[in-house]
Amino acid sequence: MEKDLRVDYTHLQMISTADLAYLGDAVYELSIRKGLILRGTNGAGNLSNEAAKFVTAPNQSKFLHLLWDQLTEDELSVAKRARNKKPNNIPKHATRTEYIYATALEAVFGYLSLKEDEKRIIQLVEMIFGINDETTKR
């Protein structure tokens, strides 16, 4: 008998934020890569350089802070739960706070992926691209 891979709301709320962030890390990076290609960035080197502006803990933390008021109640709940989890290790290129908020952003993307809310993932990625465009103009 095959296991049903769809997730109901109750089960989704019980998944650890570490597991959501694990999935969300991949979903977020893939979404950024798709967005870069669709925005006209080409060439593996260029794509890699541009993606690096979005996938570092300091930038992910900045994006979450600027998106905070745009998150739904459920997304905020996930982000707060993830933010409050004590990290096991912190990369050298990020502060503890940056790492915690970056992980929280990834958990939101993992949550949305399991919820199969591709429309919302695209909305958030578009907002992140807009934030990046605005902050790089300054």
Side-chain angles (χ1 to χ4, degrees):
M1 181 177 190
E2 290 184 29
K3 180 150 174 80
D4 186 359
L5 294 179
R6 290 172 293 180
V7 180
D8 63 46
Y9 183 79
T10 303
H11 183 225
L12 192 54
Q13 299 306 312
M14 294 175 15
I15 297 172
S16 79
T17 55
D19 292 348
L20 292 174
Y22 172 78
L23 175 61
D25 176 57
V27 172
Y28 177 75
E29 184 156 0
L30 181 59
S31 298
I32 292 297
R33 288 179 179 201
K34 282 182 185 178
L36 288 169
I37 290 169
L38 293 173
R39 291 177 69 145
T41 305
N42 54 33
N46 288 337
L47 286 163
S48 182
N49 290 339
E50 288 300 308
K53 297 174 184 176
F54 294 89
V55 298
T56 64
N59 285 338
Q60 286 176 249
S61 173
K62 173 184 75 175
F63 296 140
L64 181 61
H65 278 94
L66 294 171
L67 287 173
W68 197 261
D69 292 338
Q70 305 299 316
L71 298 179
T72 67
E73 189 176 316
D74 286 344
E75 292 164 357
L76 279 172
S77 175
V78 169
K80 288 176 183 178
R81 282 193 305 132
R83 179 190 67 185
N84 291 337
K85 184 183 181 309
K86 183 180 179 200
N88 293 330
N89 53 7
I90 300 164
K92 292 181 175 137
H93 65 277
T95 67
R96 182 179 190 281
T97 300
E98 289 169 336
Y99 182 72
I100 288 169
Y101 276 89
T103 301
L105 179 67
E106 291 170 349
V108 169
F109 274 84
Y111 167 81
L112 292 170
S113 176
L114 287 176
K115 198 175 153 192
E116 298 180 352
D117 195 346
E118 184 69 22
K119 183 178 178 182
R120 182 62 174 156
I121 290 170
I122 291 168
Q123 285 177 333
L124 291 177
V125 169
E126 287 173 347
M127 286 187 248
I128 288 168
F129 275 110
I131 291 167
N132 187 66
D133 291 347
E134 284 300 311
T135 58
T136 55
K137 284 182 186 176
R138 296 178 191 166

